Amino acid sequence: MEIATLLSVGVSNGCLYGLVGLGLVLVYNAQGIPNFAHGELFMASAFAAYTANILFGLSYALSMLVAIVFAFALGVVVEFLAIRPIAMNRSLGRASTEVAIVLSTVGLMIAIKGLARIPWGDSVRKLPAAFSTETISVGGLVLSTQRLLIIVVAFVLTIAISLFFSKTSLGKKMRATSQNTAGAMLVGINTGHIYSATWGLAAICGGVAGILAAPLIFLYPDMGTRMLLKGFAAACLGGFGSVGGVFVGGLVMGIVEIFFGRYLATSMMDIFAPIIIIVVLLFRPQGLFGSRSAVRV
Amino acid sequence: MTQILKLEGLMVRFGGLTAVNGVSLTIASGEIRGLIGPNGAGKTTLFNAISGLAPASAGSVHLDGLEITSKSAPQRAALGIRRTFQTVQLVQSFTVYENLLFGLHTRAGNPLTRLIVGSYATPDADADAIIDEVLDYLGMRDLKHRVVDTLTIAHQRYVEIGRALVARPKLLMLDEPTAGLSPAQIERLDDLIGRLSSDWKVSILLVEHVIPLVVKLCSRITVLDRGRVIAEGTGAEIGQDAAVQKAYLGERLDA
Amino acid sequence: MLAAVRSNILPLFFVLLFGLSFTTDAYAQYLINLMLVYVVVAQGLNLILGFAGMFAFAHGAFMAIGAYVSALLMNKFGVSYLVAMPAAGLAAALVGCSIGIPAIRVSGLYLAMVTMGFSEIVQWILRNWKPVTSGTDGISVASPVFFGVELSDDFQTFYIILAVCAVMTALAQFIIRSRLGRAFVAIRDSEIAAQSSGINVARTKVLAFAISAFYAGVGGSLFSLTQHYINPDNFNLYQTIMQFCMVIVGGASSLIGPFIGATILTWLPELLRNAQAFQEIGFGLLLIVFVIFVPKGLAGLLIDKGILPREEYSSRVRGKWVVRKERAEGSERT
């Protein structure tokens, strides 16, 4: 029984990590950089949901919608202000551009955290859950409704994004741009729009994770960093490539972490993500499933 | 005549792709050897395999009688293999002088400091004299303190050659040195390459697309296609060779 | 006269600080000390980030190793500070090597993630290895004793910090001008060209890690002297990012850059009312604005304006992410 409960917690946590990792992978594939500000998109969206729901008294569903729109807008704005000027600077070599963009995301990371600290820095906050009934019982197994919601939404979103890339014209353009930027520009794709869309979509992934996690964890301005590390770990396990890979990577991360935490020591849960990042990148940079040739160098 | 470079059955594989497939080749001391072949023939990969940037999957490489097959690129550079690149590889923000200093990196220094910090800390006492000599030879003394990325592409190629020459290499490998140059610049470079081997007592392996240039400079030419040597001989012999004509003509039809 | 000032700006800076130390109040002296500590740390980061072009995200952690090693050696074993400080640097360098050796296997920006993971692990150890580090309670740092004299306040420790900073600056200058410094820049700008000129890229990268961590370790040890009390929060991500800010704002791959960066970023928090939120916003925006608009940093800007002298051979080095725009005759380059 306890195992089943732990498993449900691990799977739902893993879904959150997968979503955060998915946002990281989207930006990595488009621009070749780890986005250090991604945890802050997660944090800001959680606070946006909190603001809409608690301060403006909007209904739960409407607050979620507001927060998702906010996440998308934040991603687009941040890309336009802090990333685009560097990416479009033709006088830089590719490697130089990438280092400069990473530095810019590091700047964003702490600037957004600082901004959140002004209104929210004094104490931790909590958002009510989506459903008034907190748990349901399935065949004797008690499950949290919020966790079920996380699992369902993460599955649906991951599949939707896979379909988006394989079926829609914008998704195909995004893939083309990530594989060959110069070629994409030659065939008339507006790479600026593509980067906006990538960052907006990545922010939605992080934002949805933030909104879903908000009722389970406390909200505070520093919550993004921890999530960033877990997202990195999920992305590393998934090989920084496919949408499905990072989702499975998140699940592995969530499940193993919860069992480590339960049977070894709670403090082990926080050390798990950085260890995974280091071990995977050093010894299996293609991730759990990828082939070595898929590694971007 | 001693053999400076000897390749025996050299293979380079990347995953399923065999880029260099059993190449055997010897270059005598003081020789200028031409290496030609259609695009994708494996010329640059062969260069990388000789200079140590691409590991050999099979076969052997000897430099001046010494087996170097398992040696790394820096070790081979220290033993006397130096090269230039198809796209110029210089530290663009440094001056000509400083870029030539890189070429002297492997020079032997005080054994004690070498023991502690490898080849990093040896003094540059006579470096200036060596560099000035090379710059004078290349006719670039007045550009000594110019930053490289303010130079023309032709001058940048001279700097690359200079960086190799300061180390007084046994084998100098030039990878398409005329790429991107004007006809007048090519003529000057052509003249320089012709003099290099006797003036610096160095053997040269030259990859080049401008076939007349190769024919003029090189006593012997090796033709590579799909990773294999398909012909070797003087310019006239190569021109008559059926396999060579097929390789080039085939390429032209494909394109 | 002005020319003499320009060409001896760093020695004059040290003399000026020495003179100022007779007029400062306790708080100003504390800030001067802190600034010098950050000069040392920023120089270390500059060597690896600016010169060798490696994105190491771990200098808060290296600094922590230095601070804890020197504090613990003095507290628990009564070791003299004269021994504890270099030991702190060496301990950090050793850890730098051991993270550097595997980390050079990963390419490009994966290194940023690996080193960030390493920082988190160091943080975790500091928080959880309570018998040694006292966890989040932190540890107090004994005052160093020189020849029976206890150096207990900032006016006294200033002399140690000033001297160490001067020595480390001279060392940095020596490294930059040596073959090793050239090897750093060579691997930054073209790894294949470096290899083909006989530079051992792997060994050079590990050395960059070790030296850079040594600076951070010594800096951490000095930092513990200025604080008298250290805890894991001193060395978190914010610390590392502040150092990035110092290097970028001051001017990456310039010897003088870390001085400018450390000075500004030590005094800026005072203007930002010491409120964490405003500091974070300020530092974050500074980093973004400089990366976009002043990628050479203030040192590069001042050198271009002719206010600061060109530096030895690093003067034209604009950091890997900067290639000079004004080309005299390079128009045919593609």
Side-chain angles (χ1 to χ4, degrees):
Chain A
M1 201 81 263
E2 193 199 355
I3 302 248
T5 308
L6 281 179
L7 205 59
S8 76
V9 174
V11 168
S12 53
N13 281 349
C15 285
L16 292 175
Y17 305 155
L19 280 180
V20 175
L22 184 53
L24 288 165
V25 166
L26 291 181
V27 171
Y28 189 85
N29 281 344
Q31 293 184 308
I33 55 123
N35 174 12
F36 281 90
H38 194 63
E40 270 40 65
L41 300 175
F42 167 89
M43 177 271 291
S45 308
F47 273 115
Y50 176 86
T51 309
N53 189 235
I54 305 291
L55 299 186
F56 291 99
L58 300 182
S59 73
Y60 189 84
L62 200 55
S63 332
M64 299 305 111
L65 194 66
V66 167
I68 291 173
V69 172
F70 172 80
F72 180 82
L74 185 63
V76 171
V77 168
V78 150
E79 191 277 334
F80 186 77
L81 291 180
I83 309 300
R84 184 89 53 99
I86 306 168
M88 293 293 156
N89 187 344
R90 295 268 161 258
S91 71
L92 306 176
R94 189 189 125 189
S96 323
T97 306
E98 290 179 352
V99 171
I101 292 177
V102 178
L103 283 169
S104 197
T105 66
V106 169
L108 281 172
M109 172 186 184
I110 92 165
I112 296 174
K113 195 183 282 188
L115 275 172
R117 216 181 286 286
I118 296 175
W120 314 117
D122 51 344
S123 65
V124 294
R125 290 174 165 76
K126 203 161 178 169
L127 194 68
F131 308 105
S132 47
T133 37
E134 280 191 6
T135 55
I136 51 168
S137 174
V138 184
L141 181 63
V142 180
L143 291 173
S144 140
T145 50
Q146 185 68 23
R147 291 194 178 278
L148 278 178
L149 179 70
I150 290 174
I151 296 169
V152 171
V153 172
F155 261 104
V156 170
L157 193 61
T158 306
I159 291 166
I161 286 178
S162 298
L163 289 176
F164 170 78
F165 277 115
S166 58
K167 301 286 181 215
T168 68
S169 145
L170 180 61
K172 286 176 185 166
K173 283 179 185 169
M174 284 166 77
R175 266 168 51 208
T177 307
S178 79
Q179 274 159 23
N180 185 345
T181 312
M185 285 165 92
L186 283 176
V187 298
I189 294 175
N190 183 333
T191 49
H193 291 172
I194 297 296
Y195 289 144
S196 295
T198 304
W199 276 74
L201 197 58
I204 287 182
C205 293
V208 168
I211 296 160
L212 290 171
L216 294 176
I217 58 176
F218 291 111
L219 305 188
Y220 54 101
D222 287 307
M223 67 195 275
T225 309
R226 183 185 275 191
M227 208 49 163
L228 175 73
L229 276 165
K230 305 201 170 176
F232 271 147
C236 289
L237 283 169
F240 268 98
S242 70
V243 172
V246 65
F247 188 72
V248 178
L251 287 182
V252 171
M253 172 73 203
I255 293 167
V256 179
E257 178 195 76
I258 199 79
F259 280 94
F260 263 74
R262 172 66 185 82
Y263 294 109
L264 279 172
T266 322
S267 61
M268 293 298 285
M269 285 183 67
D270 288 333
I271 195 75
F272 199 64
I275 288 180
I276 284 201
I277 293 172
I278 292 178
V279 170
V280 172
L281 286 184
L282 291 184
F283 301 106
R284 212 179 150 74
Q286 70 275 35
L288 288 179
F289 327 99
S291 60
R292 191 163 268 275
S293 58
V295 178
R296 177 178 179 145
V297 279
Chain B
M1 247 187 183
T2 52
Q3 292 173 345
I4 286 297
L5 183 74
K6 188 170 83 175
L7 309 180
E8 276 175 341
L10 192 65
M11 304 262 269
V12 180
R13 287 196 203 94
F14 301 115
L17 179 83
T18 305
V20 172
N21 193 355
V23 168
S24 297
L25 181 74
T26 56
I27 298 179
S29 82
E31 182 181 352
I32 307 181
R33 171 66 61 91
L35 182 64
I36 61 172
N39 285 329
K43 300 180 300 269
T44 295
T45 308
L46 182 60
F47 256 45
N48 288 344
I50 298 171
S51 56
L53 293 174
S57 319
S60 68
V61 183
H62 285 79
L63 179 74
D64 207 6
L66 178 75
E67 160 132 34
I68 56 166
T69 318
S70 58
K71 296 221 183 296
S72 69
Q75 286 171 327
R76 294 183 195 199
L79 289 170
I81 296 183
R82 294 295 166 113
R83 65 174 291 185
T84 66
F85 296 86
Q86 222 169 345
T87 46
V88 174
Q89 299 281 347
L90 293 166
V91 180
Q92 293 285 338
S93 50
F94 276 17
T95 62
V96 171
Y97 169 73
E98 291 153 3
N99 269 286
L100 293 196
L101 277 176
F102 287 119
L104 289 167
H105 186 85
T106 54
R107 239 163 15 118
N110 179 335
L112 183 68
T113 53
R114 282 186 76 87
L115 192 69
I116 301 168
V117 284
S119 51
Y120 294 112
T122 45
D124 296 319
D126 54 342
D128 282 21
I130 300 171
I131 287 171
D132 284 347
E133 185 192 352
V134 169
L135 287 177
D136 281 338
Y137 182 80
L138 297 172
M140 293 182 70
R141 187 70 175 269
D142 53 327
L143 300 177
K144 183 174 174 183
H145 294 296
R146 282 280 293 278
V147 175
V148 161
D149 77 353
T150 66
L151 299 178
T152 61
I153 192 75
H155 278 133
Q156 295 193 21
R157 292 209 186 271
Y158 279 76
V159 177
E160 262 201 325
I161 294 173
R163 183 179 61 193
L165 285 182
V166 291
R168 295 192 172 274
K170 291 174 179 162
L171 176 68
L172 174 60
M173 308 202 294
L174 305 172
D175 195 352
E176 295 201 27
T178 62
L181 301 193
S182 69
Q185 291 169 331
I186 291 179
E187 205 168 308
R188 274 195 60 211
L189 186 67
D190 160 21
D191 175 56
L192 173 75
I193 296 172
R195 288 183 283 126
L196 271 180
S197 65
S198 53
D199 291 350
W200 293 84
K201 300 193 174 40
V202 58
S203 305
I204 294 176
L205 182 59
L206 173 69
V207 164
E208 194 44 81
H209 266 312
V210 188
I211 307 292
L213 181 85
V214 183
V215 172
K216 185 174 141 209
L217 285 172
C218 307
S219 48
R220 289 185 76 75
I221 297 171
T222 301
V223 187
L224 213 58
D225 186 32
R226 294 170 205 192
R228 292 176 187 277
V229 176
I230 55 167
E232 191 177 309
T234 63
E237 288 164 11
I238 295 294
Q240 309 283 313
D241 193 290
V244 176
Q245 285 178 354
K246 185 162 169 269
Y248 272 87
L249 219 56
E251 186 204 22
R252 212 166 290 148
L253 289 176
D254 289 344
Chain C
M1 169 65 195
L2 209 59
V5 171
R6 279 179 74 221
S7 52
N8 293 299
I9 195 126
L10 287 184
L12 284 172
F13 179 81
F14 284 116
V15 170
L16 178 73
L17 286 184
F18 184 78
L20 271 180
S21 71
F22 297 103
T23 65
T24 47
D25 60 22
Y27 190 63
Q29 191 59 53
Y30 163 72
L31 284 176
I32 288 178
N33 290 2
L34 195 60
M35 176 181 89
L36 288 170
V37 169
Y38 279 126
V39 168
V40 173
V41 180
Q43 275 173 344
L45 182 60
N46 193 21
L47 282 172
I48 194 164
L49 178 74
F51 285 95
M54 298 162 72
F55 205 105
F57 206 82
H59 280 61
F62 291 140
M63 207 176 154
I65 291 165
Y68 274 85
V69 164
S70 94
L72 291 172
L73 280 176
M74 282 161 49
N75 289 0
K76 299 214 167 178
F77 303 99
V79 171
S80 153
Y81 187 72
L82 277 177
V83 176
M85 182 191 57
L90 290 176
L94 208 64
V95 177
C97 260
S98 55
I99 182 79
I101 289 170
I104 55 169
R105 287 164 46 112
V106 301
S107 58
L109 292 165
Y110 281 137
L111 183 64
M113 281 183 269
V114 169
T115 45
M116 186 192 182
F118 163 75
S119 307
E120 285 303 309
I121 291 174
V122 169
Q123 271 289 319
W124 185 86
I125 292 172
L126 293 182
R127 285 170 196 282
N128 290 287
W129 195 16
K130 294 200 169 98
V132 173
T133 65
S134 308
T136 48
D137 294 341
I139 48 180
S140 58
V141 182
S143 300
V145 179
F146 279 88
F147 310 110
V149 183
E150 188 181 332
L151 306 182
S152 54
D153 65 31
D154 289 325
F155 294 104
Q156 292 164 320
T157 49
F158 168 70
Y159 298 108
I160 310 178
I161 295 172
L162 186 76
V164 173
C165 182
V167 169
M168 297 298 268
T169 304
L171 180 65
Q173 185 163 17
F174 174 77
I175 292 171
I176 291 165
R177 290 177 182 177
S178 76
R179 254 173 225 222
L180 180 59
R182 280 203 299 277
F184 284 168
V185 181
I187 60 166
R188 180 190 75 190
D189 280 20
S190 168
E191 275 192 28
I192 37 170
Q195 279 183 315
S196 305
S197 296
I199 294 169
N200 185 327
V201 171
R203 183 163 38 160
T204 306
K205 285 184 169 181
V206 172
L207 273 171
F209 253 104
I211 293 172
S212 181
F214 178 78
Y215 271 81
V218 169
S221 168
L222 295 175
F223 180 80
S224 73
L225 283 192
T226 67
Q227 303 297 302
H228 308 288
Y229 160 79
I230 50 175
N231 71 67
D233 280 338
N234 293 137
F235 310 103
N236 57 16
L237 208 59
Y238 174 74
Q239 168 71 256
T240 305
I241 295 174
M242 189 169 70
Q243 293 168 19
F244 268 114
C245 233
M246 288 175 182
V247 170
I248 300 303
V249 170
S253 58
S254 150
L255 186 68
I256 225 163
F259 282 85
I260 300 174
T263 307
I264 291 175
L265 283 141
T266 312
W267 294 86
L268 191 65
E270 305 308 308
L271 302 177
L272 296 174
R273 297 185 285 156
N274 261 331
Q276 194 187 357
F278 290 105
Q279 287 176 21
E280 284 173 339
I281 297 169
F283 289 1
L285 291 183
L286 261 184
L287 193 53
I288 298 168
V289 165
F290 269 77
V291 162
I292 295 176
F293 298 107
V294 202
K296 304 168 194 174
L298 289 173
L301 204 64
L302 293 173
I303 289 172
D304 281 357
K305 297 255 182 243
I307 297 167
L308 284 177
R310 296 214 167 270
E311 290 175 23
E312 185 78 349
Y313 77 147
S314 60
S315 57
R316 298 160 310 275
V317 181
R318 320 268 161 103
K320 182 161 185 167
W321 46 93
V322 193
V323 177
R324 63 194 286 128
K325 285 178 190 161
E326 70 282 11
R327 291 218 162 92
E329 47 178 298
S331 52
E332 52 191 286
R333 279 190 63 213
T334 48

